[in-house]
Amino acid sequence: MNHRHTHTVLRSAHYRGQRGAVLIISLIVLVVMLISAAALMRSFDISLTTAGNLAFKRDLAQQSEQAAETILARFRAGGALIGSTARELDDFALNYSATVLPSNPQGIPNVLLAAVDALPSPWTGGSIDAGDRIRLLYVVDRLCATSGPGTETPDNCSVADASLQPGGSSSDWQRAERASVGGARGAVAQPVVYRLTIRADGPRNTQSFFQTTFSCCDS
């Protein structure tokens, strides 16, 4: 009788041990599942944020390209910067420099990097409000060492050659598109090279730079 009672007690203790082990394993599995679910949600949030930022950057690129066409129109027939006389002197009201601007190692003019909501003095051309909380700051500089009458010459400026053809390519932060404006290439024997740089500020502190070099133009 005592032997049977002892056996029953041992068997009950064994079952309780098994139930305790199952409970511990279940808790561990539950914790792992909770951690996995949290990691999945975080990954999903990151993916949404990344997709949103990419959409903002694409919008900035489109707005910058539209603005570039408006700015480049100044170098075409009837534009404010057509004719070498107009281009040989600074015109800060048009955000134009007749000499190459100091730039960072990536080729972005320092004046754009230092700007906050507007270009600093003496630049007075202002920025472009593209809507949807997008603001575009830009400068155009002539790739010449000095300014003044008679300085638009090959010995003072970078001039177009066979490697500077219409068309171009782009990266995720800087567009380096090459084009010829202001009429046929044959209109000027060695057209001078100019550089248009646009800084696009958008929502969520999104910021991109777009740069175009072009040879120009009718004398």
Side-chain angles (χ1 to χ4, degrees), residues 30-46:
L30 180 61
V31 170
V32 171
M33 291 178 64
L34 288 174
I35 294 174
S36 299
L40 182 62
M41 290 298 296
R42 184 174 181 181
S43 175
F44 183 69
D45 290 341
I46 293 174

Side-chain angles (χ1 to χ4, degrees), residues 53-141:
N53 288 340
L54 289 175
F56 282 133
K57 290 180 75 69
R58 282 196 296 269
D59 192 23
L60 294 181
Q62 292 174 354
Q63 296 294 345
S64 297
E65 289 176 355
Q66 293 176 7
E69 284 302 311
T70 300
I71 297 166
L72 290 175
R74 297 171 182 170
F75 294 85
R76 300 189 179 104
L81 291 171
I82 196 68
S84 59
T85 301
R87 299 189 300 271
E88 287 174 337
L89 296 174
D90 297 333
D91 192 336
F92 295 118
L94 296 176
N95 290 350
Y96 172 77
S97 172
T99 55
V100 60
L101 295 171
S103 305
N104 70 357
Q106 288 73 39
I108 302 299
N110 294 335
V111 65
L112 281 180
L113 298 174
V116 182
D117 295 325
L119 294 176
S121 179
W123 303 88
T124 58
S127 59
I128 299 174
D129 186 355
D132 296 326
R133 294 182 294 168
I134 297 174
R135 183 167 295 278
L136 308 175
L137 295 171
Y138 69 93
V139 291
V140 181
D141 55 339

